[in-house]
Amino acid sequence: QVQLVESGGGSVEAGGSMRLTCKASGDSEGATCMAWFRQIPGGDRWGIAVIYNKGPSMAYDDSVKGRFTISKDVAKNTMTLHMTNLKPEDTARYVCASKSPGRCNLREETFTYWGHGTQVTVSA
């Protein structure tokens, strides 16, 4: 079992920056692949950034490529999402997800464990 706790959300003006953190506890192997999803009310979760311990290797959705950077402190089992040049359309609840070694991508069905999320609001 893995428990995921996000922190760092809040409100920011367009063009600003924000850093989100996801701390994983429990079975560290279950957090080998970690990702950030975002969700708007009534919508599905959409994967925006993923990182895999081995490599490490990262991938991004086109909507955030060049603006967001995902990283991970493997020893602390903590993943960070550094968001820059934020836009109003980035407003969403940001949810952390993880899974054990194997397929690691931005698809929701790939992941086993989920956090509760943290709200990010970007004003124009």
Side-chain angles (χ1 to χ4, degrees):
Q1 287 290 324
V2 175
Q3 295 77 44
L4 302 171
V5 178
E6 303 93 337
S7 60
S11 298
V12 66
E13 292 184 350
S17 300
M18 186 178 289
R19 193 184 304 267
L20 305 181
T21 299
C22 175
K23 170 67 177 172
S25 59
D27 176 16
S28 59
E29 185 166 297
T32 301
C33 170
M34 297 183 74
W36 288 99
F37 285 73
R38 58 186 179 193
Q39 186 172 26
I40 59 175
D44 293 331
R45 287 182 287 210
W46 186 263
I48 57 168
V50 61
I51 187 164
Y52 191 50
N53 284 5
K54 299 187 179 183
S57 62
M58 295 81 77
Y60 299 91
D61 182 74
D62 286 347
S63 64
V64 305
K65 201 172 290 183
R67 299 188 298 124
F68 291 10
T69 302
I70 191 170
S71 61
K72 184 178 180 183
D73 184 330
V74 176
K76 296 181 179 179
N77 242 356
T78 300
M79 174 178 65
T80 299
L81 185 68
H82 185 209
M83 306 183 291
T84 63
N85 190 22
L86 282 160
K87 305 175 182 180
E89 51 264 43
D90 293 319
T91 295
R93 189 164 190 82
Y94 284 68
V95 184
C96 173
S98 78
K99 67 176 297 287
S100 55
R103 182 176 300 177
C104 186
N105 54 41
L106 287 170
R107 300 181 65 172
E108 183 178 5
E109 59 267 29
T110 295
F111 292 88
T112 308
Y113 304 104
W114 296 87
H116 292 293
T118 184
Q119 179 67 32
V120 172
T121 302
V122 184
S123 58

